PDB file of all heavy atoms in Angstrom:
ATOM      1  N   ASN B  79       6.369 -25.667 -12.326  1.00 88.00           N
ATOM      2  CA  ASN B  79       6.297 -26.551 -11.269  1.00 88.00           C
ATOM      3  C   ASN B  79       6.038 -28.042 -11.836  1.00 88.00           C
ATOM      4  O   ASN B  79       4.935 -28.264 -12.357  1.00 88.00           O
ATOM      5  CB  ASN B  79       5.206 -26.226 -10.268  1.00 88.00           C
ATOM      6  CG  ASN B  79       5.120 -27.101  -8.990  1.00 88.00           C
ATOM      7  OD1 ASN B  79       5.655 -28.211  -8.997  1.00 88.00           O
ATOM      8  ND2 ASN B  79       4.544 -26.614  -8.061  1.00 88.00           N
ATOM      9  N   ALA B  81       5.289 -30.771 -10.747  1.00 92.00           N
ATOM     10  CA  ALA B  81       4.149 -31.534 -10.177  1.00 92.00           C
ATOM     11  C   ALA B  81       2.822 -31.061 -10.745  1.00 92.00           C
ATOM     12  O   ALA B  81       1.839 -31.690 -10.553  1.00 92.00           O
ATOM     13  CB  ALA B  81       4.197 -31.236  -8.687  1.00 92.00           C
ATOM     14  N   LEU B  82       2.769 -29.934 -11.448  1.00 94.00           N
ATOM     15  CA  LEU B  82       1.533 -29.461 -12.038  1.00 94.00           C
ATOM     16  C   LEU B  82       1.487 -29.664 -13.517  1.00 94.00           C
ATOM     17  O   LEU B  82       0.463 -29.423 -14.119  1.00 94.00           O
ATOM     18  CB  LEU B  82       1.385 -27.937 -11.748  1.00 94.00           C
ATOM     19  CG  LEU B  82       1.233 -27.419 -10.360  1.00 94.00           C
ATOM     20  CD1 LEU B  82       1.056 -25.951 -10.406  1.00 94.00           C
ATOM     21  CD2 LEU B  82       0.023 -28.124  -9.686  1.00 94.00           C
ATOM     22  N   SER B  85      -1.404 -31.877 -15.313  1.00 95.00           N
ATOM     23  CA  SER B  85      -2.803 -31.353 -15.294  1.00 95.00           C
ATOM     24  C   SER B  85      -2.912 -30.014 -16.079  1.00 95.00           C
ATOM     25  O   SER B  85      -3.905 -29.706 -16.634  1.00 95.00           O
ATOM     26  CB  SER B  85      -3.261 -31.260 -13.864  1.00 95.00           C
ATOM     27  OG  SER B  85      -2.438 -30.449 -13.142  1.00 95.00           O
ATOM     28  N   HIS B  86      -1.806 -29.336 -16.077  1.00 96.00           N
ATOM     29  CA  HIS B  86      -1.681 -28.004 -16.783  1.00 96.00           C
ATOM     30  C   HIS B  86      -1.940 -28.408 -18.354  1.00 96.00           C
ATOM     31  O   HIS B  86      -2.824 -27.771 -18.987  1.00 96.00           O
ATOM     32  CB  HIS B  86      -0.406 -27.368 -16.610  1.00 96.00           C
ATOM     33  CG  HIS B  86      -0.028 -26.315 -17.516  1.00 96.00           C
ATOM     34  ND1 HIS B  86      -0.685 -25.085 -17.630  1.00 96.00           N
ATOM     35  CD2 HIS B  86       1.015 -26.201 -18.437  1.00 96.00           C
ATOM     36  CE1 HIS B  86      -0.143 -24.345 -18.531  1.00 96.00           C
ATOM     37  NE2 HIS B  86       0.912 -24.978 -19.124  1.00 96.00           N
ATOM     38  N   SER B  89      -5.425 -29.505 -19.147  1.00 96.00           N
ATOM     39  CA  SER B  89      -6.425 -28.517 -19.283  1.00 96.00           C
ATOM     40  C   SER B  89      -6.370 -27.884 -20.606  1.00 96.00           C
ATOM     41  O   SER B  89      -7.389 -27.203 -21.021  1.00 96.00           O
ATOM     42  CB  SER B  89      -6.274 -27.408 -18.159  1.00 96.00           C
ATOM     43  OG  SER B  89      -5.165 -26.619 -18.453  1.00 96.00           O
TER      44      SER B  89
ATOM     45  N   ASN E  79      -7.150 -21.108 -12.156  1.00 88.00           N
ATOM     46  CA  ASN E  79      -7.787 -22.041 -13.083  1.00 88.00           C
ATOM     47  C   ASN E  79      -8.292 -23.291 -12.302  1.00 88.00           C
ATOM     48  O   ASN E  79      -7.506 -24.080 -11.925  1.00 88.00           O
ATOM     49  CB  ASN E  79      -6.625 -22.473 -14.164  1.00 88.00           C
ATOM     50  CG  ASN E  79      -7.086 -23.254 -15.222  1.00 88.00           C
ATOM     51  OD1 ASN E  79      -8.174 -23.794 -15.160  1.00 88.00           O
ATOM     52  ND2 ASN E  79      -6.338 -23.423 -16.277  1.00 88.00           N
ATOM     53  N   ALA E  81      -9.336 -25.887 -13.232  1.00 92.00           N
ATOM     54  CA  ALA E  81      -8.992 -27.321 -13.775  1.00 92.00           C
ATOM     55  C   ALA E  81      -7.642 -27.714 -13.231  1.00 92.00           C
ATOM     56  O   ALA E  81      -7.193 -28.830 -13.299  1.00 92.00           O
ATOM     57  CB  ALA E  81      -8.873 -27.181 -15.249  1.00 92.00           C
ATOM     58  N   LEU E  82      -6.814 -26.770 -12.531  1.00 94.00           N
ATOM     59  CA  LEU E  82      -5.519 -27.035 -12.065  1.00 94.00           C
ATOM     60  C   LEU E  82      -5.557 -27.207 -10.533  1.00 94.00           C
ATOM     61  O   LEU E  82      -4.705 -27.500  -9.787  1.00 94.00           O
ATOM     62  CB  LEU E  82      -4.471 -25.967 -12.343  1.00 94.00           C
ATOM     63  CG  LEU E  82      -4.145 -25.803 -13.792  1.00 94.00           C
ATOM     64  CD1 LEU E  82      -3.031 -24.766 -13.922  1.00 94.00           C
ATOM     65  CD2 LEU E  82      -3.587 -27.115 -14.305  1.00 94.00           C
ATOM     66  N   SER E  85      -4.614 -30.542  -8.418  1.00 95.00           N
ATOM     67  CA  SER E  85      -3.183 -30.944  -8.597  1.00 95.00           C
ATOM     68  C   SER E  85      -2.250 -29.774  -7.879  1.00 95.00           C
ATOM     69  O   SER E  85      -1.217 -30.165  -7.289  1.00 95.00           O
ATOM     70  CB  SER E  85      -2.720 -31.218  -9.979  1.00 95.00           C
ATOM     71  OG  SER E  85      -2.959 -30.202 -10.837  1.00 95.00           O
ATOM     72  N   HIS E  86      -2.751 -28.566  -7.906  1.00 96.00           N
ATOM     73  CA  HIS E  86      -1.925 -27.521  -7.263  1.00 96.00           C
ATOM     74  C   HIS E  86      -1.981 -27.823  -5.765  1.00 96.00           C
ATOM     75  O   HIS E  86      -0.944 -27.818  -5.085  1.00 96.00           O
ATOM     76  CB  HIS E  86      -2.703 -26.195  -7.504  1.00 96.00           C
ATOM     77  CG  HIS E  86      -2.275 -25.034  -6.656  1.00 96.00           C
ATOM     78  ND1 HIS E  86      -1.062 -24.507  -6.649  1.00 96.00           N
ATOM     79  CD2 HIS E  86      -3.019 -24.330  -5.884  1.00 96.00           C
ATOM     80  CE1 HIS E  86      -0.999 -23.510  -5.771  1.00 96.00           C
ATOM     81  NE2 HIS E  86      -2.208 -23.309  -5.285  1.00 96.00           N
ATOM     82  N   SER E  89       0.080 -30.750  -4.665  1.00 96.00           N
ATOM     83  CA  SER E  89       1.571 -30.556  -4.618  1.00 96.00           C
ATOM     84  C   SER E  89       2.021 -29.826  -3.304  1.00 96.00           C
ATOM     85  O   SER E  89       3.117 -29.912  -2.982  1.00 96.00           O
ATOM     86  CB  SER E  89       2.054 -29.661  -5.827  1.00 96.00           C
ATOM     87  OG  SER E  89       1.662 -28.389  -5.585  1.00 96.00           O
TER      88      SER E  89
END
Side-chain angles (χ1 to χ4, degrees):
Chain B
N79 187 341
L82 295 184
S85 57
H86 167 64
S89 76
Chain E
N79 187 341
L82 296 183
S85 57
H86 167 65
S89 76

